[in-house]
Amino acid sequence: MKWSDELGVNVKEIDEQHKKLFEIINRAHEGAINKDKKEGNDVLNELIEFVRVHFSTEEKYFEKCNYSGAKEHIAEHLKLTEKVLKFKNDFDKGECDCSAFLDFLKSWIEEHLKVMDMKYVSEFKKCGLR
Ligand SMILES: [Fe+2]
Ligand SMILES: [Fe+2]
């Protein structure tokens, strides 16, 4: 996954998190997940933890800014969190379709960023976030 400036949401903290998310997913994709159980496990735990951090950062600002699209956005975050946890569960049982999952995750993140995250840009700006 490649970062580009038009993916920016004009809030430094969130842009940095999106970049880091791309970086973790790329690392998982570049084989860490398939190499060995230990390495795959580490990168997946890092991913799960960071997805949690990122979603809660956005949701903290939804609350702070009384964001009008919070409800549907939080529902999307929840759905993805459940999918990632289910995947980790499969991985632990040695039953993951890792490449398919990573492809899904990449397109989900990209789509979510371009559609859902972009929707909060103007309200966050009005709210004074930088
Ligand atoms: Fe996001
Ligand atoms: Fe989001």
Side-chain angles (χ1 to χ4, degrees):
M1 297 177 85
K2 214 173 154 359
W3 178 262
S4 62
D5 284 340
E6 69 258 31
L7 294 174
V9 296
N10 296 319
V11 180
K12 196 166 178 280
E13 183 185 10
I14 297 178
D15 286 338
E16 292 304 320
Q17 290 185 348
H18 284 149
K19 284 180 202 170
K20 178 157 181 197
L21 212 46
F22 277 33
E23 184 265 314
I24 298 172
I25 293 170
N26 283 339
R27 205 152 16 94
H29 206 82
E30 278 151 19
I33 211 169
N34 295 313
K35 249 180 227 156
D36 65 54
K37 188 103 187 170
K38 164 89 174 68
E39 221 174 298
N41 196 54
D42 288 350
V43 77
L44 273 177
N45 281 333
E46 191 181 345
L47 178 72
I48 289 168
E49 179 52 30
F50 197 70
V51 163
R52 216 190 294 271
V53 168
H54 173 58
F55 287 173
S56 63
T57 301
E58 286 186 352
E59 291 168 17
K60 172 184 79 186
Y61 290 133
F62 293 167
E63 214 178 321
K64 182 170 189 272
C65 298
N66 218 336
Y67 173 50
S68 62
K71 208 175 158 213
E72 54 164 0
H73 199 135
I74 292 170
E76 293 277 300
H77 284 172
L78 250 171
K79 263 193 266 170
L80 198 266
T81 304
E82 280 166 11
K83 285 219 161 116
V84 175
L85 290 175
K86 163 146 194 347
F87 172 75
K88 176 66 167 68
N89 208 25
D90 291 345
F91 178 86
D92 290 342
K93 287 188 286 182
E95 288 169 3
C96 79
D97 189 346
C98 297
S99 308
F101 175 76
L102 286 173
D103 285 341
F104 158 79
L105 188 64
K106 271 185 177 179
S107 34
W108 190 95
I109 298 274
E110 240 158 24
E111 177 76 10
H112 181 82
L113 219 167
K114 286 179 185 159
V115 179
M116 296 299 280
D117 287 357
M118 285 305 152
K119 283 188 192 170
Y120 60 58
V121 173
S122 61
E123 283 189 46
F124 276 16
K125 200 173 171 189
K126 269 187 226 141
C127 174
L129 298 184
R130 292 287 176 274

